[in-house]
Amino acid sequence: MNYFSTRDKTLKFSFKDIFLRGLAPGGGLFLPNEIKKYSKENLRELSQLNYKDLATEIIHNFCKQELDKKELSSLINKSYNGFLENEVVKLKKIGNIHLLELYYGPTLAFKDIAMQLIGNMYDYLQIAKDKIVNIVVATSGDTGSAAIASLSNRKNINLFVLHPHNKISKVQRKIMTTIGGSNIYNIAVEGSFDDCQKIVKDLFNDESFRSKINMSGVNSINWSRIVCQIVYYFYSYFKLQKDNLSFSVPTGNFGDIFAGYVAKKMGLPIDKLIVATNENDILQRVINSGVYKPDTVKTSITPSMDIQVASNFERLLFYILDENDQKVSKLMNDLSLKGSFNLDKEVVKKIKKDFEAVRINDEDTQKIIKNIDDKHQFILDPHTATGFGAANKVKGLKNVVVLGTAHPYKFNDTIEKVTGKSLKAPKHLKMYIDKKEKFDIIGNSNLEVKNYILSKLL
Ligand SMILES: *Cc1c(COP(=O)(O)O)cnc(C)c1O
């Protein structure tokens, strides 16, 4: 198997290459040239496995050349041993909704599930054997801490995390800036998450800078993250044993929900994938109207979804446009030149076969948190609450799983305001209450970030 780019199908890269590079040359995103399709019989066999063995089977499809199954299995076991939940994730029933809790890792968000494994893969694949690797990542709050928890003090790896200054929750910032490590640099950029993501993309596209610092990335545009997230869609299906299963997914960069789309491509009989957005609703607009037009970012009580440029949507476009790389390039070109692109009616119709998209505003999110607490004595994090809201707004669904993307403690200010309850920090949280936070505030410009990085490499 090899990998090509959404904007150029003639490119050929190995799993190790795309793992290191993150973004394809020319700005496209990597995709595999084959996706394994499981038969009903295959699915029956997989359904017997525990989470870690299931993860081994599924992830192995995408990195066969580099990792044999035994080695992968031992990396997976090592990665998930520190999770509070032995089965990594947990399903609960809240009213008529199945909640898939994905926050038993060290930083209490679903990002840990991919990031813990990615950290171990960096070592195993000897990505940083001969030369120091500098990982640069943009975060809307949770990717950064998950990356730090996974990569802190690893040999030959530096990690630069860009977060939007004053636009993430206090606990999110505290986790990111107190775990520390001699190789960790936190940068608070005076801008939005989209600004941070744009800087990272620009640096990747700056070939001379990229090669000068041997730059790598672990944002959700990195295919390896998506691969790890496919697993829990299968796991939920096997646990619940229900047909017509739909998934409602709190969405920002379209990474987590795209993993569900890949699971469907692999033969998992998913009914609908429901995109839940907050007021930064570019995905809701494009899926319901065909117009993809980034707006300015609004700050919300769901900061990890305060995103207007949903990068992974490009991967969906590639498949929806019948794998036509030229058509994808054209749309992306329109986006960068004109600031938007339009999809034909037929294309929108095709997307709507698999997807629904619903916007939940802050007021509704708060009502949902309050309502679920009153009725079921269960506290949802605000992001997860948007998933509940979206699931309830789509008519005709049979069985819905909402992805619980973060532990409510990460957003304890909002929870306290809405429910009057103050939450205790969970035991498995990697955060150091008494430690001084370490981060540098810098301006929203490529040059300042570049200079900052170079100054740390001297
Ligand atoms: C990252 C994140 C999301 C959005 O996930 P995407 O893969 O970017 O769509 C939603 N909720 C929480 C809590 C997150 O950390």
Side-chain angles (χ1 to χ4, degrees), residues 31 44 196 253 307 395:
L31 282 172
R44 231 186 328 268
C196 296
N253 223 353
I307 294 174
K395 303 229 156 58

Side-chain angles (χ1 to χ4, degrees), residues 301 361-371 385 414 417-418:
I301 58 169
N361 65 25
D362 277 2
E363 198 189 327
D364 286 344
T365 301
Q366 296 180 56
K367 276 189 197 149
I368 294 159
I369 295 170
K370 179 91 179 79
N371 188 27
T414 300
K417 213 178 100 200
V418 175

Side-chain angles (χ1 to χ4, degrees), residues 3-55:
Y3 289 84
F4 57 75
S5 158
T6 46
R7 300 186 205 174
D8 185 354
K9 283 203 286 192
T10 64
L11 294 179
K12 261 197 187 142
F13 285 90
S14 68
F15 179 77
K16 188 172 167 177
D17 290 336
I18 66 148
F19 186 87
L20 174 67
R21 295 185 73 111
L23 194 65
L29 303 184
F30 289 116
L31 282 172
N33 69 342
E34 58 183 77
I35 291 181
K36 161 107 180 170
K37 181 130 197 220
Y38 291 114
S39 66
K40 279 215 167 108
E41 185 51 39
N42 294 151
L43 290 177
R44 231 186 328 268
E45 284 164 17
L46 289 178
S47 72
Q48 305 302 312
L49 302 176
N50 66 35
Y51 189 93
K52 291 166 195 164
D53 291 343
L54 179 64

Side-chain angles (χ1 to χ4, degrees), residues 250-366:
T251 297
N253 223 353
F254 204 73
D256 211 11
I257 197 161
F258 184 74
Y261 181 77
V262 180
K264 193 167 180 179
K265 270 187 143 355
M266 294 174 85
L268 194 69
I270 294 173
D271 182 10
K272 290 279 183 197
L273 292 159
I274 303 157
V275 176
T277 77
N278 63 22
E279 283 169 74
N280 298 288
D281 66 339
I282 182 161
L283 287 166
Q284 184 276 126
R285 284 181 283 124
V286 70
I287 291 170
N288 290 315
S289 77
V291 181
Y292 187 93
K293 190 170 193 299
D295 205 339
T296 50
V297 182
K298 292 188 202 93
T299 303
S300 76
I301 58 169
T302 45
S304 299
M305 294 156 65
D306 288 346
I307 294 174
Q308 285 284 343
V309 182
S311 298
N312 281 295
F313 192 66
E314 179 171 344
R315 288 192 159 111
L316 177 68
L317 283 178
F318 178 83
Y319 290 116
I320 297 291
L321 297 169
D322 301 318
E323 311 195 3
N324 187 325
D325 52 354
Q326 296 309 307
K327 282 190 185 164
V328 175
S329 299
K330 159 110 188 22
L331 292 179
M332 291 304 143
N333 215 30
D334 285 353
L335 180 63
S336 87
L337 294 180
K338 295 188 230 157
S340 68
F341 62 75
N342 293 318
L343 301 176
D344 297 339
K345 273 214 175 72
E346 291 308 303
V347 174
V348 173
K349 219 165 132 189
K350 236 172 126 184
I351 294 176
K352 296 276 285 186
K353 257 204 210 144
D354 293 315
F355 290 90
E356 296 281 348
V358 180
R359 174 179 70 165
I360 304 294
N361 65 25
D362 277 2
E363 198 189 327
D364 286 344
T365 301
Q366 296 180 56

